[in-house]
Amino acid sequence: FTIESGSTLDLGNVNGHSFGSIPVCSGTLRIASSAYFPTGDWGNFLGTSGGTVEYYQTAAGTLTLPTTYTLPGGGTANITGYYNLNTSPYNASNIILPNSNLTIYNNLTVGYSYGGGTSNCITQINAGESSTTLEVKGNININQYGVLQYQNNLAEYAIADNDINIASGGALQVRNGGNSVA
């Protein structure tokens, strides 16, 4: 099974997929289910020369990124990084990054779900109870209507090894409410 460059496999919000071993490939895997990643050996796809994973929403609500996936032979693997990660929240909704350190080996792109409105499309860094580090080895791109948001109450770290690009109508902000942290 491969996801070739320029192609997209859109799983929508259907769960229960099992793909076996995934070779190095550079296409896009789209997921609209909270805390879900399909069964398979995704190490190459999520690694330093892999593909793009896009989490998106089709309706208002909260979508939380998973921290593990199931391996074909049983057991689990931790999701500690993505090659490229795109988030596309719905209008007035949140996509929440995991409560764990996360490395993006290329680019993080924050946007909005097409057809899902253009206001408060928030990708939130860690809504958990411990401080985390988000390191992006490429660029952080915040597209029009996309919002990358830090949470109050905890020290959070976002490191962009290259540039942070914020398009007109996009925002990098601190969540309103909670205790401020230096």
Side-chain angles (χ1 to χ4, degrees):
F1 173 80
T2 63
I3 305 173
E4 296 293 333
S5 178
S7 64
T8 299
L9 174 60
D10 189 345
L11 301 180
N13 57 10
V14 177
N15 295 338
H17 305 91
S18 183
F19 292 105
S21 181
I22 314 301
V24 174
C25 50
S26 57
T28 299
L29 175 65
R30 296 184 79 223
I31 301 171
S33 294
S34 190
Y36 174 72
F37 204 87
T39 297
D41 184 354
W42 293 93
N44 290 327
F45 189 80
L46 297 175
T48 59
S49 60
T52 299
V53 176
E54 178 183 3
Y55 291 95
Y56 70 102
Q57 292 173 296
T58 59
T62 298
L63 187 151
T64 303
L65 271 62
T67 58
T68 63
Y69 60 89
T70 302
L71 295 167
T76 60
N78 291 328
I79 299 175
T80 59
Y82 295 91
Y83 181 68
N84 287 306
L85 177 62
N86 298 345
T87 59
S88 301
Y90 198 81
N91 188 55
S93 296
N94 295 347
I95 292 180
I96 300 174
L97 300 182
N99 183 27
S100 58
N101 294 334
L102 191 62
T103 301
I104 311 302
Y105 298 105
N106 197 28
N107 296 322
L108 169 64
T109 301
V110 174
Y112 69 101
S113 276
Y114 296 99
T118 57
S119 176
N120 294 317
C121 302
I122 297 171
T123 298
Q124 186 172 320
I125 299 173
N126 180 20
E129 298 179 4
S130 60
S131 295
T132 60
T133 299
L134 169 65
E135 182 174 8
V136 180
K137 299 206 177 269
N139 297 322
I140 295 176
N141 301 308
I142 303 172
N143 291 338
Q144 185 179 30
Y145 311 123
V147 176
L148 182 60
Q149 179 176 270
Y150 284 89
Q151 172 168 304
N152 273 326
N153 299 328
L154 299 168
E156 299 296 340
Y157 304 94
I159 301 165
D161 288 0
N162 287 321
D163 295 326
I164 298 176
N165 304 302
I166 304 173
S168 176
L172 175 63
Q173 70 185 26
V174 176
R175 183 176 163 264
N176 197 7
N179 297 321
S180 296
V181 178

